[in-house]
Amino acid sequence: MLIRALHAWPTTEAEAEALQRDLAGRVSSAPLAPLTADTLIAGCDLAYEKGGDRCFAAVVVARDFGATVVETSTAHGRAPFEYVP
């Protein structure tokens, strides 16, 4: 599955905060179309190493109301700045 890049990856805490404000402005609260067995849904998570600078991410894409996994992907690397809740 190819995903187009939406933005440059932030390298500082200030860049990350500005990006989050920008992305928050793009969120729509309009009702979604009803899900069907062919609707793709995705879930993701990111975790930082406790006390370190490494981070780990995972994404899963599924259809059929989450029952059929279409694709998964994981990544890990060094974070350019500390985790900020």
Side-chain angles (χ1 to χ4, degrees):
M1 182 174 292
L2 294 175
I3 311 274
R4 67 181 172 85
L6 298 176
H7 53 77
W9 196 255
T11 58
T12 67
E13 182 179 333
E15 286 178 358
E17 288 175 358
L19 176 60
Q20 287 222 332
R21 281 191 295 277
D22 177 61
L23 293 174
R26 299 181 193 184
V27 173
S28 171
S29 60
L32 297 174
L35 296 178
T36 70
D38 292 324
T39 302
L40 291 176
I41 57 173
C44 63
D45 193 22
L46 174 81
Y48 272 72
E49 174 185 40
K50 187 173 183 176
D53 66 350
R54 295 186 333 149
C55 55
F56 309 86
V59 177
V60 61
V61 178
R63 77 169 78 244
D64 192 21
F65 306 103
T68 305
V69 173
V70 174
E71 188 165 346
T72 62
S73 185
T74 60
H76 59 88
R78 302 252 179 238
F81 52 87
E82 288 183 10
Y83 171 76
V84 180

